[in-house]
Amino acid sequence: MTVIPAFEIGILNAWILTAFFFVYIFLVSMVFRKDIGKKMDHGKEERKKLTIVSLFWLVLLLYSIFLPMKIWTAWLYVGIVIYLLGLTFLTLFFANVAATPSGQPFTRGAYRYSRNPMYVGMFLQFIGIGIATASWLFLLLTLVMIFPMWSMVIIEEQSCLKKYGDAYRDYMNRTPRWIGIPKA
């Protein structure tokens, strides 16, 4: 792994994975736009945090254009597996949001193991890209992205507590914030 790898534009650079991430988010969002739009009410503070996280994503996307993947190495294979695990979490997130009746908190499916499967999925995908490219800088930028995501999650949870009350508090008590085995 290198801190700053050689910058070169190429067809087999990390942009393939980051572009797939953004296209996937866009397409799935379009399919579930009506459902997600009604169920996810972002306040002013959340939108600010989301903007910061989005800027990190943009920086990572731009950086990935010049970041070659380590073809035919263990780095690539390990990174792709982690990336696909993240994609699975993201897919489960969208499926759970669409399947949850309006006016109820998301608590089924991936939400049984994580209160934030969308963020876990995104984070795993970017960690996977960092490993597939063997870039410490990409991994570092991904880790730095956790801080605005973490504060955004706190705001979202407070919003859910106001909206759903004790039902959400019970859910918080039995379900880990990021990932784990739910409490009985």
Side-chain angles (χ1 to χ4, degrees):
M1 264 193 154
T2 59
V3 176
I4 301 175
F7 286 89
E8 53 189 62
I9 295 177
I11 192 79
L12 294 176
N13 283 7
W15 68 267
I16 294 171
L17 297 176
T18 52
F20 179 77
F21 168 80
F22 287 107
V23 168
Y24 176 81
I25 293 289
F26 175 76
L27 291 175
V28 173
S29 296
M30 294 306 291
V31 170
F32 294 117
R33 180 177 23 164
K34 185 174 68 173
D35 294 327
I36 292 172
K38 288 180 187 174
K39 295 175 185 174
M40 300 179 74
D41 184 24
H42 292 295
K44 185 177 183 180
E45 195 65 26
E46 283 177 279
R47 283 192 297 270
K48 250 196 299 193
K49 301 286 184 187
L50 188 59
T51 301
I52 292 169
V53 170
S54 297
L55 288 174
F56 270 99
W57 287 334
L58 182 61
V59 166
L60 288 172
L61 174 64
L62 293 174
Y63 179 42
S64 73
I65 293 170
F66 304 98
L67 192 58
M69 288 192 281
K70 299 299 178 192
I71 305 299
W72 311 119
T73 66
W75 292 114
L76 178 72
Y77 300 120
V78 171
I80 293 296
V81 167
I82 294 170
Y83 180 87
L84 292 174
L85 182 63
L87 183 64
T88 301
F89 262 88
L90 212 51
T91 301
L92 292 172
F93 158 76
F94 282 114
N96 295 145
V97 169
T100 302
S102 201
Q104 291 183 11
F106 313 134
T107 59
R108 290 185 252 156
Y111 280 92
R112 290 190 63 229
Y113 305 100
S114 171
R115 293 193 311 250
N116 300 286
M118 177 181 75
Y119 297 119
V120 170
M122 286 189 254
F123 181 69
L124 284 173
Q125 284 186 296
F126 280 93
I127 289 292
I129 293 168
I131 292 171
T133 59
S135 169
W136 286 107
L137 182 59
F138 197 92
L139 286 171
L140 178 67
L141 290 171
T142 300
L143 291 173
V144 168
M145 187 171 60
I146 287 176
F147 296 108
M149 280 174 52
W150 190 290
S151 60
M152 194 167 118
V153 163
I154 302 292
I155 293 167
E156 285 181 1
E157 288 181 347
Q158 294 303 314
S159 174
C160 287
L161 276 171
K162 286 180 199 171
K163 186 173 182 176
Y164 301 115
D166 287 335
Y168 194 76
R169 189 177 324 281
D170 292 341
Y171 169 68
M172 286 177 71
N173 289 335
R174 71 177 183 270
T175 308
R177 175 173 284 150
W178 296 111
I179 191 165
I181 297 171
K183 299 173 192 166

